[in-house]
Amino acid sequence: MRSRILRAILLAVAVTGFALGLPLGYTALRLVEDGARTDLAARAQRIAASVDDQIASGREIDLGPVEVGVPEGGHLVVRSAGAVREFGHRPGPDPLSVEVPIAQQGTVLLEVSSAPMHTAQYQVAALVVLLVVLSVSTGTVVATVTARKLAKPLRHVAARAARLGAGDFRRDDRRHGVPELDLVAEALDRSAGALAQLVQRERELVGDVSHQLRSRLTALQLRLEALSLHPEPDMAVEARAALEQAERLAEVLNEMLAAARAARAVGAEPLDLGAELTTIAEEWREPLRRAGRALRVKVPDGLLARATPARLREAIGVLLDNALRHGEGLVVVSARRDDGTVVVEVADGGAGVPDELAHHIFERGVSGGGSTGVGLALARALVDADGGRLELSTARPATFALFLPVPKAEDVVGVTWRTDLTPR
């Protein structure tokens, strides 16, 4: 985008420069030539007037008094009454010449070399070219600055749209002062809020449906197991057949839920948590420092988890923002491997979560600090979308735990580990 804007502006500047430079150059050359001819014509007129006076007084034409009016290196030819009188030498090929009539039947021809005129024209042409070059150069600088200023907000809006598509539903309050781009940014923020609600409702619906179906299937299997022990053989056979169908239905349900989770987590990839969490922490270290608090990251080298980078960044960002707003003391982000899963914990030294909120902290609209109550619900939805889960593991002090899936062996090929992390 930046290169297109730059090319468009440069093309406009170049066309404008040439459109103005060519007529300006031609006009300047004509002015130089007209000036030289006008000066030469004025000299010839004065010489002709002097010769007229001599003829009118009955004297013989004498070029001595008019020689001073002949330019250096010029050639003067006076024709009158069949006589021709000359002064100087011909200035060479293609001279600049002016011929004026004499009142007493004759002409005065004055010639000079055209080289000085051409030299002046070259100088004027060079000046015009210099002005055009300066104009284009100035336009290039202005175009570069303008393209940068225009491209920067466009890149930001494009990156915002890309993050939204990757699952980053955070609101971005940055505006650029360009009405059209600000409208796009506001539309993206509204879309982010709508998508966040959609993701949350989808998670809740899938969870509720799966819970209800599992409960009903479990109850049905228990009843069928009891019927399979019925003393009547026919009844027992039918019960066992129905029990097999119920078990197959449970397996199909598990497969469908697993496929739904895999489809939602299509953007998930093996991530080096040491690098990812350190990068995320760097964004929050300064806000915490301004509040007089510190942030520490404790992640073992080479620890991998499967997640979408944007969703993980958003979820951890919500937890760090929650610790900044409602917590106290040192904030610690740690990660460890535990029973086939990767656990990422965010803890602080504050008073923790009140008992009346602990069981509802992830519900939308529930907040103990006057906030909107959307962040934690969104964070849980995002983690769930990657096949993980987010829990409040400890209420006092507040410790949130993200349980992320471990990447498969075939997905780890080509992943590099960051081993140069400095202790925090």
Side-chain angles (χ1 to χ4, degrees):
M1 179 61 70
R2 177 181 173 183
S3 60
R4 290 184 179 180
I5 295 174
L6 184 59
R7 286 198 299 267
I9 298 177
L10 287 179
L11 179 60
V13 171
V15 170
T16 303
F18 284 109
L20 295 178
L22 291 178
L24 179 61
Y26 176 78
T27 302
L29 295 179
R30 293 295 302 177
L31 286 175
V32 171
E33 182 177 355
D34 291 344
R37 288 188 180 277
T38 300
D39 178 68
L40 191 63
R43 290 174 177 270
Q45 289 288 354
R46 289 194 295 270
I47 294 174
S50 178
V51 172
D52 271 336
D53 291 341
Q54 293 179 15
I55 296 175
S57 62
R59 292 177 295 166
E60 188 176 353
I61 297 176
D62 182 11
L63 298 184
V66 299
E67 291 178 0
V68 69
V70 180
E72 183 180 356
H75 179 224
L76 174 64
V77 179
V78 178
R79 295 184 176 89
S80 177
V84 178
R85 293 174 178 80
E86 297 186 33
F87 172 78
H89 303 282
R90 293 187 60 82
D94 192 23
L96 181 64
S97 62
V98 173
E99 187 174 10
V100 297
I102 300 175
Q104 304 298 328
Q105 298 299 322
T107 59
V108 172
L109 176 64
L110 186 60
E111 297 178 320
V112 294
S113 173
S114 60
M117 181 192 69
H118 291 322
T119 301
Q121 287 180 325
Y122 296 150
Q123 292 173 347
V124 171
L127 180 60
V128 171
V129 171
L130 179 61
L131 291 176
V132 171
V133 171
L134 288 176
S135 300
V136 173
S137 300
T138 304
T140 302
V141 174
V142 173
T144 303
V145 175
T146 303
R148 183 181 295 112
K149 288 184 177 181
L150 289 177
K152 187 175 181 181
L154 287 173
R155 286 198 301 267
H156 180 265
V157 173
R160 175 72 181 95
R163 292 198 305 270
L164 180 60
D168 185 351
F169 302 136
R170 288 179 295 178
R171 178 179 176 83
D172 192 342
D173 295 326
R174 182 176 177 182
R175 296 296 182 266
H176 308 284
V178 181
E180 292 77 7
L181 288 179
D182 291 344
L183 287 176
V184 174
E186 292 174 3
L188 289 175
D189 285 339
R190 290 194 298 269
S191 300
L195 288 174
Q197 295 179 5
L198 180 62
V199 169
Q200 184 181 2
R201 286 198 297 268
E202 179 189 358
R203 183 190 66 82
E204 293 174 351
L205 177 62
V206 172
D208 293 342
V209 170
S210 62
H211 175 74
Q212 294 296 327
L213 288 177
R214 289 177 188 274
S215 299
R216 299 299 183 268
L217 281 174
T218 300
L220 179 61
Q221 287 174 328
L222 292 176
R223 296 291 298 274
L224 291 175
E225 286 179 358
L227 288 175
S228 65
L229 301 177
H230 197 276
E232 294 184 8
D234 293 339
M235 178 70 72
V237 169
E238 291 297 330
R240 284 193 292 272
L243 180 60
E244 292 178 0
Q245 293 295 327
E247 291 175 349
R248 291 178 182 176
L249 181 59
E251 292 176 358
V252 170
L253 176 61
N254 291 332
E255 291 176 358
M256 291 178 63
L257 291 175
R261 286 194 295 269
R264 290 199 305 269
V266 67
E269 59 187 54
L271 298 178
D272 178 7
L273 286 181
E276 291 294 329
L277 295 180
T278 300
T279 302
I280 297 171
E282 288 300 326
E283 299 179 5
W284 291 91
R285 200 176 300 279
E286 181 60 23
L288 286 166
R289 187 193 64 79
R290 287 197 298 266
R293 302 169 63 186
L295 175 60
R296 181 177 299 169
V297 179
K298 297 190 296 184
V299 184
D301 293 339
L303 182 61
L304 295 180
R306 183 174 178 81
T308 303
R311 291 173 180 169
L312 179 63
R313 181 174 61 251
E314 166 66 8
I316 298 296
V318 168
L319 298 179
L320 291 175
D321 181 65
N322 188 72
L324 174 62
R325 294 174 180 268
H326 309 297
E328 297 177 0
L330 177 66
V331 180
V332 179
V333 179
S334 60
R336 68 180 188 277
R337 182 77 176 265
D338 184 24
D339 294 335
T341 188
V342 176
V343 183
V344 179
E345 292 182 333
V346 179
D348 64 79
V353 181
D355 293 337
E356 61 272 16
L357 294 179
H359 297 290
H360 307 282
I361 194 68
F362 293 105
E363 295 179 9
R364 190 177 183 85
V366 175
S367 174
S371 59
T372 60
V374 176
L376 290 176
L378 174 60
R380 169 174 273 192
L382 292 175
V383 174
D384 180 77
D386 277 342
R389 71 181 192 275
L390 173 61
E391 304 290 344
L392 177 64
S393 60
T394 304
R396 292 187 178 87
T399 302
F400 291 90
L402 285 81
F403 298 87
L404 301 176
V406 177
K408 299 178 181 179
E410 59 269 20
D411 295 335
V412 182
V413 178
V415 177
T416 58
W417 288 267
R418 179 175 174 176
T419 59
D420 59 341
L421 299 177
T422 56
R424 300 287 183 186

